Amino acid sequence: MTTTGNIDTITDSELQAARERYRVERDKRLRPDANDQYIEVTGDYESYVADPYVEPGFTRDPVVRDVQVLILGAGFSGLLAAARLRDAGIDDIAIIEKAGDVGGTWYWNRYPGAQCDIESYIYLPLLEETGYLPIEKYSRAPEIRQHAIRIAQFYDLYPRLLFQTELRELRWDPTDSRWHAGTDRDDRISARYVILSNGPMNRPKLPGIPGISTFTGRTFHTSRWDYAYTGGDERGGLEGLADKRVAVIGTGATGIQCVPHLGRYAEHLYVVQRTPSAVDVRGNRPTDPEWATTLKPGWQRERMRNFNALVNPASLFLGSAPSEDLVADGWTSLLGSTMSASVEVAQSGATGDDLGVAYERADLAHMNRIRRRVDEIVDDPDTAEKLKAWYRTFCKRPTFNDDYLPTFNRPNVTLLDTDGRGVERVTEQGIVVNGVEYEVDCIIFATGFEVGTNYTRRFGFEIVGRDGATLSAHWAQGPRTLHGYYSDGFPNCFFTGLNQNAFTPNFCHMLDEQVEHITSVLLEAERRGSRSVEPTADAVQGWVQEIAATQMPFTTELQTTCTPGYYNGEGATGKGKGLLEGLYGFGSDAYFEVVRTWRENGMPGLAFPRRDTEVSPNAD
Ligand code: NDP
């Protein structure tokens, strides 16, 4: 387990110097085009999103069907929704999925080294239900994908799945109180309820580098890995690269995981870095069979909740964090110790620091340790200096890897640091960085996924609710929901993912809580024999205000002073484009409690008109 640095050793002048360095590093990366710097992967770039894992030419007859529940997406969110509904006795389900099988992000992301950096025992859903225990503390992608298949088989979901199918339109019809869905395969599916489980980061993005389409070598995005070209598989063995010069662009969580494999196999590897990631200790290990025998029923939910409370800054400040740390890894020590230390300082009042400054001190101690780790591992001092992350921990996603930094000690690996500017140009033969052209055979884009772009662009369809109103128009100034789950004017339509709800690093825990909530609302609608379920405009407005009211000034200020990335809308903070913007400010633990209590109190603000009426709760 990692330990944080000692915050008592952080002097005022050190804190000032770090603030200044962070500001300089941030300012040099700010761009007026913010999120618009990325190219939409359509038209000439469409090949970047083609599915490399299916045989081309799949055809089937259009499906015409009426179901009780239509789910969009067969990643863990959609699978969980279907599983929980089946457990509750609702079997009339159809699931539309773009990919050739289940797994969502784990279907697409098969790059070498792909692995989940949240502990497998809390990340993989439905372990107790399906009777499976992961083989390692941190699962690798094939095991995760296999578990998605296991869930689909266990809950008999395959007959309900329509693969290689994309939703094209979703329209509410008040005459039959049903959603009508059209797909790219001419299916006509109607459904009483719709659950949108289409994932927050499903659309790969490319940087708008001049000349990007002129490159004549091989090029692909990490979420569509071309093993026919590289050889090998997710475990490595990229023998096809033995005589290839490869450039990988991007050093986020994905780049960190695939670079060690590329370094091992490519004739020469150029790692193009715009902003370094903070890379902490991984420390994976096989599952202890003796520990497995000690697990009591209900252990997974308990472990998920324990982890969540420990990585939730709000519960630490509110003093509600558990004393026991069941997962005991980089996440819990990072947030747990860092935050506890800052809370202690703030509460003692000894320094007169407010919470924000106390947190900043603790964070700096942690980041200093991460930067020292680079010096300890990377031999060349100049390369080591460039690999150091100069921002606060949660400006970018923390990463954990034991093989990334040692890769830079290999003679066939060159770090091309761009000092925050990125690749200058792509040419027919390669890339231009800092005025120098590097000829390569292959460019791999580890440049992430669209966040904060318009819903229709990201998902390829429009949602048309009551009176022909579109969701894009209704949300033009930002999401408008009750608790993140439903919007006025869009009856019987449930959202999962990150919209005005709360974030936890363990995404599958968040999804499980969301699906539990949606299932109970849906069952309540059925129990009451209601024709539809929809929030009142007042309830939605109340929640929009609640979200604004719970924003903690110091966390908002933190994102504003952060180096750009998808967490803060590429530096354009406050416009609702960042992944971490517009969420419930008191954290996920408190949020789960808010919605639990709301359910117990009879679900106020939701209208359940009877089946013999069709009245909008928002009609005048
Ligand atoms: P990210 O968006 O995190 O990283 C994109 C990278 O591309 C950044 O390093 C970015 O630099 C770089 N980049 C963008 N434009 C340019 C340019 N013009 N020139 C050079 N570099 C450029 O995407 P990832 O795919 O790495 O990660 C996405 C998310 O997926 C993660 O944050 C995480 O949530 C998830 N993930 C989770 C894993 C897990 O273990 N659970 C593993 C892998 C991914 P800059 O920082 O300067 O913008």
Side-chain angles (χ1 to χ4, degrees), residues 29 31 37-38 105-106 109 111 113-118 123 139 201 205-209 221-222 248-257 272-277 282 331 391 396-399 418 420-424 445-449 451 503 505 507 563-567 570 579:
R29 290 173 172 81
R31 313 168 40 135
Q37 68 183 280
Y38 296 104
T105 195
W106 297 104
N109 285 285
Y111 58 83
Q115 186 178 22
C116 184
D117 60 12
I118 299 291
Y123 180 79
S139 288
M201 293 174 83
K205 65 180 165 37
L206 291 175
I209 304 170
H221 188 274
T222 44
V248 58
I249 300 179
T251 53
T254 299
I256 300 300
Q257 291 185 337
V272 185
Q273 172 181 276
R274 190 165 71 172
T275 309
S277 274
R282 171 65 305 162
W331 285 101
Y391 45 78
K396 299 252 174 209
R397 192 180 200 282
T399 69
T418 66
R421 289 184 300 270
V423 178
E424 238 166 85
F445 289 97
T447 45
F449 303 87
V451 171
F503 177 78
F507 224 70
T563 190
Y566 69 86
Y567 276 7
E570 300 295 336
L579 190 81

XYZ file of all heavy atoms in Angstrom, residues 29 31 37-38 105-106 109 111 113-118 123 139 201 205-209 221-222 248-257 272-277 282 331 391 396-399 418 420-424 445-449 451 503 505 507 563-567 570 579, ligand 1:
607
model
N -1.097 25.419 -21.411
C -1.946 24.412 -22.070
C -3.344 24.920 -22.426
O -4.071 24.251 -23.155
C -2.066 23.170 -21.173
C -0.772 22.391 -21.095
C -0.819 21.260 -20.094
N 0.379 20.435 -20.207
C 1.558 20.735 -19.652
N 1.702 21.845 -18.936
N 2.600 19.948 -19.831
N -6.259 26.609 -24.271
C -6.453 26.957 -25.682
C -7.850 27.538 -25.835
O -8.792 27.027 -25.236
C -6.362 25.729 -26.589
C -5.215 24.828 -26.344
C -5.361 23.508 -27.062
N -5.909 23.584 -28.397
C -5.405 22.922 -29.451
N -4.340 22.158 -29.300
N -5.968 23.005 -30.622
N -10.989 21.571 -30.035
C -9.715 21.181 -30.645
C -9.780 19.765 -31.216
O -8.918 19.373 -31.996
C -8.587 21.240 -29.616
C -8.710 20.181 -28.519
C -7.624 20.287 -27.467
O -6.516 19.831 -27.675
N -7.951 20.912 -26.345
N -10.801 18.992 -30.798
C -10.866 17.597 -31.244
C -11.760 17.436 -32.468
O -12.729 18.173 -32.640
C -11.363 16.702 -30.101
C -10.388 16.693 -28.942
C -10.649 17.420 -27.781
C -9.189 16.004 -29.040
C -9.738 17.439 -26.736
C -8.271 16.021 -28.000
C -8.550 16.746 -26.848
O -7.638 16.765 -25.836
N -17.511 -0.573 -22.796
C -16.140 -0.058 -22.891
C -15.113 -1.194 -22.922
O -14.067 -1.082 -23.561
C -15.873 0.924 -21.729
O -14.702 1.663 -22.005
C -15.696 0.234 -20.388
N -15.452 -2.306 -22.279
C -14.517 -3.445 -22.252
C -14.618 -4.301 -23.505
O -13.799 -5.181 -23.737
C -14.713 -4.275 -20.976
C -14.405 -3.445 -19.775
C -15.300 -2.887 -18.913
C -13.105 -3.025 -19.322
N -14.645 -2.150 -17.952
C -13.301 -2.222 -18.179
C -11.799 -3.247 -19.774
C -12.232 -1.643 -17.477
C -10.738 -2.675 -19.080
C -10.965 -1.884 -17.951
N -12.300 -1.525 -25.720
C -10.911 -1.280 -25.301
C -10.163 -2.584 -25.052
O -10.170 -3.132 -23.961
C -10.899 -0.387 -24.065
C -11.224 1.044 -24.434
O -10.397 1.764 -24.989
N -12.466 1.440 -24.176
N -6.841 -2.870 -26.075
C -5.430 -2.558 -26.336
C -4.545 -3.384 -25.400
O -4.988 -3.816 -24.333
C -5.183 -1.051 -26.180
C -5.549 -0.490 -24.824
C -4.680 -0.558 -23.749
C -6.787 0.113 -24.611
C -5.020 -0.059 -22.514
C -7.138 0.620 -23.381
C -6.246 0.526 -22.330
O -6.587 1.012 -21.096
N -2.385 -4.542 -22.551
C -2.201 -4.013 -21.192
C -3.487 -3.480 -20.584
O -3.479 -3.042 -19.428
N -4.604 -3.499 -21.334
C -5.854 -2.942 -20.803
C -6.232 -3.673 -19.513
O -6.246 -4.901 -19.453
C -6.973 -3.076 -21.829
N -6.537 -2.903 -18.525
C -6.746 -3.449 -17.183
C -7.579 -2.443 -16.402
O -7.511 -1.249 -16.664
C -5.374 -3.594 -16.528
C -5.362 -4.261 -15.188
C -3.951 -4.404 -14.644
O -3.044 -3.670 -15.049
N -3.760 -5.331 -13.732
N -8.337 -2.936 -15.437
C -9.092 -1.994 -14.624
C -8.282 -1.627 -13.388
O -7.763 -2.503 -12.706
C -10.422 -2.579 -14.195
S -11.360 -1.344 -13.290
N -8.187 -0.337 -13.120
C -7.369 0.050 -11.972
C -8.195 0.252 -10.706
O -7.690 0.746 -9.712
C -6.485 1.257 -12.291
C -7.282 2.470 -12.679
O -8.512 2.455 -12.496
O -6.669 3.441 -13.164
N -9.465 -0.148 -10.754
C -10.258 -0.237 -9.526
C -10.260 -1.718 -9.138
O -10.374 -2.591 -10.012
C -11.715 0.228 -9.782
C -11.750 1.684 -10.244
C -12.591 0.019 -8.551
C -11.360 2.708 -9.203
N -15.199 -3.830 -8.493
C -15.525 -3.267 -9.819
C -16.448 -4.196 -10.614
O -17.440 -3.758 -11.192
C -14.245 -2.989 -10.615
C -14.542 -2.411 -11.977
C -14.866 -1.065 -12.116
C -14.543 -3.206 -13.122
C -15.182 -0.526 -13.362
C -14.849 -2.682 -14.368
C -15.168 -1.346 -14.482
O -15.480 -0.823 -15.708
N -8.256 -6.745 -12.311
C -8.541 -7.611 -13.470
C -8.009 -7.018 -14.758
O -8.048 -5.806 -14.971
C -10.048 -7.778 -13.643
O -10.577 -8.586 -12.658
N -18.494 7.862 -21.985
C -17.308 8.114 -22.822
C -17.244 7.040 -23.897
O -16.350 6.196 -23.880
C -16.036 8.082 -21.961
C -15.956 9.214 -20.961
S -14.567 9.061 -19.848
C -13.244 9.748 -20.813
N -12.186 10.150 -29.732
C -11.928 11.451 -30.370
C -10.489 11.504 -30.885
O -9.604 10.817 -30.377
C -12.215 12.594 -29.415
C -11.344 12.728 -28.177
C -11.815 13.943 -27.389
C -11.379 14.123 -25.978
N -10.104 13.787 -25.473
N -10.309 12.344 -31.895
C -8.983 12.525 -32.488
C -8.580 13.976 -32.295
O -9.431 14.871 -32.360
C -9.035 12.251 -33.995
C -9.260 10.809 -34.436
C -9.392 10.763 -35.948
C -8.101 9.925 -33.990
N -7.301 14.227 -32.083
C -6.874 15.626 -31.982
C -6.878 16.273 -33.359
O -6.560 15.617 -34.352
C -5.454 15.522 -31.421
C -4.992 14.143 -31.735
C -6.207 13.278 -31.926
N -7.251 17.540 -33.421
C -7.276 18.239 -34.711
C -5.887 18.697 -35.116
O -5.632 19.893 -35.229
N -4.995 17.758 -35.326
C -3.613 18.108 -35.690
C -3.562 18.351 -37.200
O -4.028 17.497 -37.962
C -2.644 16.956 -35.306
C -2.769 16.633 -33.819
C -1.215 17.305 -35.677
C -2.042 15.358 -33.405
N -7.033 4.149 -33.461
C -7.299 4.628 -32.101
C -7.180 3.435 -31.159
O -7.497 2.298 -31.533
C -8.708 5.223 -32.041
C -9.042 5.926 -30.755
N -9.537 5.257 -29.656
C -8.953 7.236 -30.396
C -9.743 6.134 -28.675
N -9.396 7.337 -29.093
N -6.749 3.690 -29.927
C -6.532 2.566 -28.991
C -7.796 1.744 -28.740
O -7.700 0.565 -28.406
C -6.025 3.091 -27.632
O -6.789 4.237 -27.257
C -4.551 3.434 -27.685
N 3.094 6.787 -30.381
C 1.826 6.762 -29.659
C 1.576 8.176 -29.150
O 2.452 8.786 -28.528
C 1.798 5.683 -28.547
C 2.897 5.872 -27.529
C 0.441 5.643 -27.839
N 0.388 8.702 -29.468
C 0.050 10.079 -29.076
C -0.938 10.008 -27.924
O -2.034 9.462 -28.067
C -0.548 10.854 -30.268
C 0.475 10.907 -31.400
C -0.963 12.262 -29.840
C 0.006 11.625 -32.645
N -0.538 10.553 -26.781
C -1.426 10.547 -25.618
C -0.846 9.730 -24.484
O -0.374 8.601 -24.676
N -0.838 10.330 -23.297
C -0.270 9.670 -22.115
C -1.255 9.736 -20.943
O -0.882 9.996 -19.811
C 1.076 10.331 -21.732
O 0.867 11.746 -21.615
C 2.162 10.048 -22.738
N -2.559 9.508 -21.257
C -3.564 9.387 -20.203
C -3.597 7.949 -19.693
O -2.647 7.174 -19.919
N -4.689 7.570 -19.024
C -4.783 6.239 -18.413
C -4.561 5.126 -19.439
O -3.965 4.088 -19.131
C -6.151 6.080 -17.748
N -5.003 5.338 -20.687
C -4.830 4.324 -21.728
C -3.368 4.251 -22.177
O -2.779 3.158 -22.246
C -5.731 4.657 -22.945
O -7.092 4.651 -22.516
C -5.532 3.663 -24.064
N -2.791 5.415 -22.495
C -1.396 5.446 -22.936
C -0.485 4.768 -21.919
O 0.398 3.976 -22.272
N -0.722 5.044 -20.643
C 0.118 4.485 -19.579
C 0.103 2.949 -19.634
O 1.123 2.309 -19.396
C -0.419 4.950 -18.188
C -0.395 6.455 -18.060
C 0.337 4.276 -17.030
C 0.927 7.115 -18.198
N -1.061 2.386 -19.969
C -1.164 0.920 -19.952
C -0.602 0.264 -21.212
O -0.075 -0.848 -21.147
C -2.629 0.509 -19.757
C -3.148 0.850 -18.359
C -4.562 0.350 -18.096
O -5.338 0.115 -19.012
N -4.902 0.189 -16.830
N 4.571 10.397 -27.467
C 4.352 11.834 -27.603
C 3.507 12.322 -26.431
O 2.366 11.912 -26.256
C 3.644 12.165 -28.933
C 3.556 13.681 -29.097
C 4.384 11.548 -30.098
N 4.095 13.199 -25.647
C 3.453 13.642 -24.411
C 3.108 15.133 -24.469
O 3.961 15.968 -24.772
C 4.421 13.386 -23.257
C 3.970 13.973 -21.928
C 4.974 13.709 -20.825
O 4.959 12.652 -20.215
N 5.856 14.665 -20.586
N 1.825 15.423 -24.179
C 1.452 16.836 -24.031
C 1.425 17.197 -22.547
O 1.936 18.218 -22.133
C 0.091 17.092 -24.684
C -0.250 18.544 -24.797
C -1.396 18.800 -25.747
N -2.676 18.337 -25.214
C -3.840 18.585 -25.784
N -3.881 19.258 -26.928
N -4.965 18.146 -25.262
N 0.809 16.317 -21.753
C 0.811 16.514 -20.296
C 1.120 15.159 -19.647
O 0.480 14.164 -19.984
C -0.573 16.988 -19.803
O -0.979 18.101 -20.605
C -0.536 17.397 -18.345
N 2.079 15.102 -18.738
C 2.368 13.806 -18.105
C 1.233 13.379 -17.168
O 0.546 14.224 -16.600
C 3.633 14.078 -17.277
C 4.051 15.467 -17.569
C 2.926 16.184 -18.237
N 1.066 12.078 -17.012
C 0.138 11.557 -16.003
C 0.897 11.364 -14.696
O 2.119 11.182 -14.694
C -0.403 10.186 -16.434
O -1.523 10.342 -17.268
N 1.233 0.113 -8.675
C 0.094 -0.764 -8.970
C -0.030 -1.868 -7.912
O -1.009 -1.964 -7.193
C 0.259 -1.357 -10.379
C -0.713 -2.457 -10.766
C -2.171 -2.026 -10.862
N -2.676 -1.384 -9.664
C -3.760 -0.638 -9.601
N -4.427 -0.412 -10.683
N -4.159 -0.102 -8.472
N -5.971 3.984 -4.241
C -7.107 4.922 -4.200
C -7.452 5.298 -2.767
O -7.595 6.475 -2.453
C -8.351 4.300 -4.847
C -8.307 4.240 -6.327
C -8.005 3.151 -7.089
C -8.561 5.306 -7.251
N -8.060 3.465 -8.419
C -8.407 4.782 -8.546
C -8.914 6.654 -7.099
C -8.582 5.559 -9.692
C -9.101 7.424 -8.235
C -8.924 6.881 -9.518
N 0.510 19.349 -11.455
C -0.867 19.785 -11.207
C -1.354 19.025 -9.986
O -0.691 18.110 -9.503
C -1.775 19.518 -12.419
C -1.617 18.148 -13.041
C -2.197 17.023 -12.465
C -0.871 17.963 -14.215
C -2.050 15.764 -13.034
C -0.711 16.714 -14.782
C -1.307 15.616 -14.193
O -1.150 14.378 -14.745
N -6.288 15.478 -13.275
C -6.318 14.416 -14.286
C -6.584 13.118 -13.544
O -6.349 13.028 -12.336
C -4.951 14.285 -14.970
C -4.516 15.510 -15.697
C -4.584 15.295 -17.179
C -4.278 16.570 -17.920
N -4.935 16.632 -19.205
N -6.997 12.109 -14.272
C -7.265 10.841 -13.611
C -5.958 10.255 -13.080
O -4.994 10.084 -13.841
C -7.875 9.866 -14.605
C -8.441 8.634 -13.952
C -9.020 7.722 -14.992
N -9.959 6.788 -14.404
C -9.612 5.709 -13.740
N -8.328 5.438 -13.554
N -10.523 4.903 -13.259
N -5.898 9.934 -11.781
C -4.688 9.294 -11.262
C -4.487 7.943 -11.954
O -5.466 7.282 -12.286
C -5.008 9.075 -9.774
C -6.215 9.882 -9.481
C -6.943 10.083 -10.766
N -3.234 7.561 -12.185
C -3.001 6.246 -12.801
C -2.077 5.422 -11.903
O -1.365 5.970 -11.048
C -2.368 6.370 -14.210
O -1.029 6.860 -14.063
C -3.166 7.302 -15.102
N 6.226 17.646 -25.538
C 5.893 18.806 -26.372
C 5.696 20.065 -25.536
O 5.188 21.070 -26.035
C 4.605 18.524 -27.179
O 3.520 18.400 -26.244
C 4.705 17.264 -28.003
N 3.510 20.854 -23.429
C 2.109 21.289 -23.358
C 1.479 21.652 -24.689
O 0.299 21.983 -24.738
N 2.260 21.598 -25.765
C 1.712 22.091 -27.043
C 1.094 20.995 -27.903
O 0.271 21.268 -28.768
C 2.806 22.812 -27.840
C 3.214 24.153 -27.252
C 4.223 24.850 -28.147
N 5.422 24.037 -28.302
C 6.484 24.117 -27.502
N 6.501 24.962 -26.503
N 7.536 23.344 -27.700
N 1.517 19.758 -27.724
C 0.995 18.681 -28.567
C 1.758 18.562 -29.871
O 2.719 19.303 -30.121
N 1.307 17.636 -30.691
C 1.966 17.397 -31.980
C 1.707 18.599 -32.880
O 0.594 19.094 -32.967
C 1.391 16.114 -32.641
C 2.026 15.875 -33.999
C 1.589 14.925 -31.723
N 2.768 19.065 -33.552
C 2.639 20.250 -34.406
C 1.898 19.945 -35.697
O 0.985 20.649 -36.100
C 4.054 20.683 -34.796
C 4.419 22.079 -34.405
C 5.925 22.208 -34.541
O 6.415 22.484 -35.660
O 6.610 21.987 -33.523
N -3.372 6.547 -31.768
C -3.999 7.641 -31.021
C -4.563 7.125 -29.699
O -5.555 6.390 -29.689
C -5.105 8.304 -31.850
C -4.570 9.096 -33.001
C -4.510 8.545 -34.276
C -4.084 10.381 -32.809
C -3.985 9.271 -35.334
C -3.554 11.121 -33.864
C -3.504 10.556 -35.128
N -3.889 7.500 -28.612
C -4.398 7.182 -27.265
C -4.984 8.484 -26.725
O -4.609 8.969 -25.659
C -3.264 6.677 -26.379
N -5.895 9.065 -27.517
C -6.336 10.438 -27.251
C -7.731 10.530 -26.639
O -8.317 11.612 -26.604
C -6.256 11.275 -28.553
O -6.803 10.508 -29.628
C -4.835 11.652 -28.870
N -8.251 9.411 -26.167
C -9.446 9.464 -25.337
C -10.765 9.573 -26.074
O -10.858 9.272 -27.277
N -11.768 10.058 -25.347
C -13.162 9.978 -25.790
C -13.859 11.319 -25.589
O -13.499 12.092 -24.710
C -13.877 8.881 -24.992
C -13.184 7.557 -25.138
C -12.130 7.211 -24.297
C -13.529 6.687 -26.153
C -11.444 6.016 -24.450
C -12.845 5.489 -26.325
C -11.807 5.155 -25.470
N -16.209 14.075 -24.369
C -16.943 14.421 -23.153
C -17.473 15.837 -23.373
O -16.751 16.690 -23.880
C -16.003 14.416 -21.918
C -16.712 14.982 -20.694
C -15.488 13.007 -21.631
N -20.407 11.328 -8.538
C -19.291 10.567 -9.097
C -18.663 9.673 -8.039
O -18.533 10.063 -6.887
C -18.231 11.563 -9.596
C -16.997 10.912 -10.143
C -16.994 10.366 -11.414
C -15.839 10.841 -9.378
C -15.860 9.758 -11.926
C -14.693 10.245 -9.884
C -14.717 9.708 -11.164
N -15.128 6.908 -8.103
C -14.140 6.300 -8.997
C -14.550 4.882 -9.408
O -14.172 4.415 -10.472
C -12.855 6.262 -8.164
C -13.036 7.285 -7.089
C -14.517 7.361 -6.835
N -16.962 3.118 -10.989
C -18.107 3.390 -11.845
C -19.189 2.319 -11.728
O -20.382 2.618 -11.772
C -17.603 3.477 -13.287
C -18.197 4.619 -14.026
C -17.847 5.919 -13.705
C -19.138 4.407 -15.018
C -18.416 6.987 -14.364
C -19.715 5.471 -15.685
C -19.351 6.762 -15.356
N -5.025 22.113 -14.709
C -4.546 21.976 -16.074
C -5.706 21.395 -16.908
O -6.524 20.649 -16.385
C -3.282 21.082 -16.059
O -2.681 21.112 -17.307
C -3.570 19.668 -15.694
N -5.824 21.772 -18.195
C -7.007 21.344 -18.954
C -7.087 19.831 -19.160
O -6.070 19.147 -19.230
C -6.830 22.037 -20.313
C -5.786 23.056 -20.128
C -4.940 22.637 -18.972
N -8.282 19.352 -19.271
C -8.547 17.940 -19.531
C -10.050 17.743 -19.582
O -10.807 18.705 -19.434
N -10.487 16.499 -19.758
C -11.934 16.306 -19.900
C -12.672 16.454 -18.572
O -13.893 16.562 -18.545
C -12.257 14.966 -20.583
C -11.939 13.740 -19.766
C -12.855 13.246 -18.854
C -10.737 13.071 -19.910
C -12.576 12.123 -18.092
C -10.439 11.961 -19.164
C -11.361 11.483 -18.264
O -11.073 10.378 -17.507
N -11.945 16.451 -17.440
C -12.612 16.676 -16.161
C -13.181 18.105 -16.091
O -14.190 18.343 -15.460
C -11.628 16.503 -14.996
C -11.414 15.081 -14.515
C -11.959 13.997 -15.183
C -10.657 14.828 -13.366
C -11.750 12.701 -14.735
C -10.444 13.526 -12.908
C -10.987 12.469 -13.600
O -10.781 11.184 -13.151
N -11.732 20.839 -20.759
C -10.485 21.314 -21.397
C -10.151 22.738 -20.963
O -9.709 23.570 -21.752
C -10.572 21.209 -22.936
C -10.794 19.800 -23.464
C -9.633 18.841 -23.187
O -8.494 19.303 -23.008
O -9.880 17.609 -23.126
N -16.499 16.554 -17.260
C -17.127 15.347 -16.704
C -17.513 15.548 -15.241
O -18.504 15.011 -14.771
C -16.158 14.165 -16.816
C -16.753 12.792 -16.512
C -17.501 12.263 -17.737
C -15.686 11.793 -16.101
P -7.527 10.778 -21.867
O -8.498 11.766 -22.382
O -7.376 10.600 -20.429
O -6.084 11.070 -22.456
C -5.898 11.570 -23.749
C -4.423 11.860 -23.954
O -4.226 12.366 -25.269
C -3.915 12.930 -22.996
O -2.629 12.576 -22.561
C -3.890 14.174 -23.878
O -3.003 15.162 -23.437
C -3.417 13.552 -25.176
N -3.618 14.437 -26.328
C -4.774 14.974 -26.760
N -4.546 15.774 -27.820
C -3.222 15.740 -28.071
C -2.385 16.353 -29.026
N -2.879 17.208 -29.951
N -1.070 16.066 -28.992
C -0.575 15.234 -28.066
N -1.313 14.627 -27.113
C -2.635 14.883 -27.123
O -7.922 9.381 -22.582
P -7.580 7.884 -22.121
O -8.064 7.003 -23.202
O -6.179 7.767 -21.699
O -8.452 7.675 -20.843
C -9.833 7.948 -20.906
C -10.502 7.444 -19.665
O -10.768 6.063 -19.786
C -9.696 7.518 -18.369
O -9.593 8.753 -17.839
C -10.463 6.566 -17.523
O -11.614 7.151 -17.022
C -10.777 5.485 -18.529
N -9.769 4.425 -18.405
C -9.873 3.656 -17.298
C -8.993 2.682 -17.063
C -9.164 1.893 -15.831
O -8.214 1.339 -15.385
N -10.340 1.803 -15.227
C -7.874 2.413 -17.979
C -7.856 3.278 -19.127
C -8.768 4.259 -19.320
P -3.479 16.286 -22.394
O -3.472 15.600 -21.055
O -2.528 17.357 -22.523
O -4.870 16.694 -22.790
